[in-house]
Amino acid sequence: MDTRRSPGEAGRHPPFGVAVDLVVLTIRDGALSVLLVRRGAPPFQGLLALPGGFVKAGSDADLDYAARRELREETSLDLPTATPQAGPQAGAGAVHLEQLRAYWRPGRDPRQDVATVAYLAVAPDPGEPAAGGDAAAVRWVPVDDVLSDATTLAFDHRQIVADGVERARQKLEGTALAAAFVPPEFTIAELRQVYEAVWGRPLDKRNFHRKVTGAQGFLVSTGRRASRGRGRPAELFRRGPARTLNPPITRPDGAPPHHPSA
Amino acid sequence: MDTRRSPGEAGRHPPFGVAVDLVVLTIRDGALSVLLVRRGAPPFQGLLALPGGFVKAGSDADLDYAARRELREETSLDLPTATPQAGPQAGAGAVHLEQLRAYWRPGRDPRQDVATVAYLAVAPDPGEPAAGGDAAAVRWVPVDDVLSDATTLAFDHRQIVADGVERARQKLEGTALAAAFVPPEFTIAELRQVYEAVWGRPLDKRNFHRKVTGAQGFLVSTGRRASRGRGRPAELFRRGPARTLNPPITRPDGAPPHHPSA
DNA sequence: GAAATAGTGTCTATTAGACAGTATTCT
DNA sequence: AGAATACTGTCTAATAGACACTATTTC
């Protein structure tokens, strides 16, 4: 993992703390939203921040493990997680979790230098999240409120959210990530609402239907139908084995409709 | 950057070392190659490894800065670096540098836990690299030799190389990354050789020409022509302002031709 | 029957891939 | 002239986007 090579160089380096921070995304009331926690201690006490915590060298098996642990401890989303390394069929209904990137800048914390490894998590709308272990108050906030500066976050967490949202937007095109936003069984309309919420623009129902059913291995029919609401019941699908979409679901070009910040 | 929130939690965490490792790619003799250094000290003494070193909390401005510093110190590629955040015109001839991801696993190093942040760098073929500061021996190795286990690397560096190559392969499609492999002025044939080397398969000259010249802002004609070799001199281009390719240069599907490991 | 939602079909302009010919330079 | 490389053009099958209709359920 490291590359020290000068004999005298080893062992004497300024210590860092290594943390993981989670950008947990879901769709609530049609809006792409991120899970935030209220900080109970300095620095940035009282501000909203991403859930996360320090990597435990003694007990964490790797960074992915630490992220999964924090996800479990700070949120109630301890569903089986499907990492990109997991098997092709493991994704149905599981929380998607993948590393975003690392962040560090000196002097961030007066007591210690802390490098943070950010993770992107995607989960179906869980209703109201029950506040877990040391998370005093967790809440879902629409990402537009965060990115438009209507909500102030601690540290560089606004940038991290922006990076996570951008990653999600890109991966909707070429991967089956959208299936992580919906329950194990879902309709094509629900899947389309995911794309519309994440991309921030409406999609044509008919072309969308053609594309997602045409993408090899993306959807698997259950034969059953959804019995909710009025209108003709929609067919229920499960996520298929494909991790990449071929052909991809292309994003319409042009800027998304601008939301005026309140 | 971090997210500690329990009052008693701050300040008492097992120390980490934070390193940056570089996956420096270029094309030599038509083969996508990675820059490696021979380790002069344990662990893995004598093995090949990625260039890199520890982040210096006192002097490095951020992780990108640390990566740039290591690139300068351990290789002779201290050209002006163009990070993804740099201006649209800054890319011509500069070394491309972007973060790949972070790696950590406990017990990697007997003396200290070290988290590594890997970077992908792309540069034009520099001829023979002059060994810089503390790098005893640097050499270019075809990535096929690394990925096929013909060459053994220290730590998890083989996996990091694999991740870096995969990133490069993907970014050739939708971004102007290919221009970072060639000198500031280049011909379309040279650019095509980049795509062929990275993707490991031949491309049709005519369709390639149509695509790259059709991608808005990718290439800017210099009006001049290359006077090298025989045959009709090719037009010289510079890199244009576009960072993303629209439409993208799509990669032909199907597996690349398999190189039998020697 | 009316309303609401699901699902299928068609038309057309564009594009991607396969392929052949012309142009310009050096020897 | 011949070889080598650069460049331009054509044909066709597949695709994407725009758009309209039929099907099935609830009220």
Side-chain angles (χ1 to χ4, degrees):
Chain A
M1 297 296 189
D2 80 313
T3 57
R4 74 193 58 162
R5 63 196 58 78
S6 304
E9 199 185 339
R12 213 42 294 131
H13 294 281
F16 283 79
V18 175
V20 291
D21 284 327
L22 298 164
V23 179
V24 188
L25 298 180
T26 198
I27 308 222
R28 287 178 70 82
D29 305 321
L32 181 64
S33 304
V34 60
L35 189 68
L36 299 176
V37 301
R38 185 77 63 181
R39 286 184 60 82
F44 298 101
Q45 182 168 11
L47 274 188
L48 287 172
L50 294 173
F54 282 92
V55 173
K56 299 177 177 174
S59 55
D60 289 329
D62 55 27
L63 292 172
D64 287 3
Y65 184 100
R68 211 150 42 223
R69 173 179 55 74
E70 289 294 337
L71 183 68
R72 191 182 341 114
E73 290 177 2
E74 299 224 9
T75 76
S76 57
L77 305 172
D78 53 342
L79 312 176
T81 49
T83 65
Q85 290 74 31
Q89 270 292 9
V95 173
H96 174 89
L97 188 66
E98 70 176 354
Q99 189 183 309
L100 262 181
R101 59 167 291 163
Y103 300 81
W104 172 76
R105 187 175 289 273
R108 247 320 178 185
D109 191 296
R111 295 157 296 196
Q112 189 185 16
D113 275 298
V114 176
T116 243
V117 181
Y119 273 78
L120 171 65
V122 171
D125 184 350
E128 272 311 314
D134 55 349
V138 299
R139 50 181 300 198
W140 293 101
V141 177
V143 296
D144 283 346
D145 291 355
V146 174
L147 300 184
S148 67
D149 270 325
T151 304
T152 303
L153 299 195
F155 303 105
D156 281 5
H157 287 185
R158 182 175 171 275
Q159 179 63 49
I160 298 177
V161 170
D163 291 346
V165 169
E166 181 55 30
R167 172 78 64 93
R169 284 181 176 147
Q170 285 181 357
K171 292 199 79 169
L172 279 200
E173 294 203 58
T175 76
L177 178 62
F181 281 98
V182 291
E185 301 200 339
F186 54 89
T187 68
I188 291 187
E190 290 168 340
L191 197 63
R192 177 166 46 81
Q193 286 156 15
V194 169
Y195 278 88
E196 291 178 334
V198 176
W199 285 346
R201 67 195 75 181
L203 299 176
D204 184 272
K205 307 182 184 196
R206 304 161 287 210
N207 293 338
F208 182 82
H209 191 283
R210 169 164 39 99
K211 285 184 185 181
V212 292
T213 54
Q216 198 71 355
F218 189 11
L219 303 183
V220 174
S221 173
T222 64
R224 290 177 300 109
R225 296 184 160 272
S227 54
R228 32 198 152 178
R230 36 186 145 278
R232 173 175 170 179
E235 189 172 2
L236 280 172
F237 290 87
R238 288 187 160 275
R239 167 176 188 174
R243 312 209 107 270
T244 62
L245 301 186
N246 204 309
I249 313 293
T250 54
R251 171 163 33 167
D253 39 47
H258 211 57
H259 293 246
S261 42
Chain B
M1 296 298 189
D2 80 313
T3 56
R4 76 193 56 161
R5 65 197 55 79
S6 305
E9 198 185 339
R12 219 33 300 127
H13 294 281
F16 283 80
V18 175
V20 292
D21 284 327
L22 297 165
V23 180
V24 188
L25 298 181
T26 198
I27 312 234
R28 287 177 71 82
D29 306 321
L32 180 65
S33 303
V34 60
L35 188 68
L36 299 177
V37 300
R38 185 77 62 182
R39 286 184 61 82
F44 298 102
Q45 182 169 8
L47 273 189
L48 288 171
L50 295 174
F54 282 92
V55 173
K56 299 176 178 175
S59 55
D60 289 330
D62 54 27
L63 292 172
D64 287 3
Y65 183 99
R68 212 150 41 223
R69 174 179 56 73
E70 289 294 338
L71 183 68
R72 190 180 343 112
E73 291 178 2
E74 300 224 8
T75 77
S76 58
L77 307 171
D78 53 341
L79 311 176
T81 49
T83 64
Q85 289 74 33
Q89 269 294 9
V95 173
H96 174 88
L97 188 66
E98 70 176 357
Q99 190 183 307
L100 262 180
R101 60 167 291 163
Y103 299 81
W104 172 77
R105 187 175 288 274
R108 242 328 174 180
D109 190 297
R111 293 156 297 194
Q112 188 186 17
D113 276 297
V114 176
T116 242
V117 181
Y119 273 78
L120 171 66
V122 172
D125 184 349
E128 273 309 315
D134 56 346
V138 299
R139 51 182 297 198
W140 294 102
V141 177
V143 296
D144 284 346
D145 290 355
V146 174
L147 300 183
S148 68
D149 270 325
T151 304
T152 303
L153 299 195
F155 302 105
D156 280 4
H157 287 186
R158 181 174 173 275
Q159 179 63 49
I160 298 178
V161 170
D163 291 347
V165 169
E166 180 55 30
R167 171 80 62 95
R169 285 181 176 147
Q170 285 181 357
K171 292 198 82 169
L172 279 200
E173 293 203 56
T175 77
L177 178 63
F181 281 98
V182 292
E185 301 199 338
F186 54 89
T187 68
I188 291 187
E190 291 169 340
L191 197 63
R192 178 167 47 81
Q193 285 156 15
V194 170
Y195 277 89
E196 291 178 334
V198 176
W199 284 346
R201 69 196 73 180
L203 299 176
D204 184 271
K205 307 182 183 196
R206 304 160 288 209
N207 294 336
F208 182 81
H209 191 285
R210 171 167 32 104
K211 285 185 185 182
V212 292
T213 54
Q216 198 72 354
F218 189 11
L219 302 183
V220 174
S221 173
T222 64
R224 289 177 300 110
R225 296 185 161 272
S227 53
R228 34 197 153 180
R230 36 186 145 278
R232 177 175 169 179
E235 188 173 3
L236 280 174
F237 290 88
R238 287 187 161 274
R239 168 176 185 174
R243 312 211 109 268
T244 62
L245 300 187
N246 203 310
I249 313 292
T250 53
R251 169 163 35 167
D253 38 47
H258 211 57
H259 293 246
S261 40

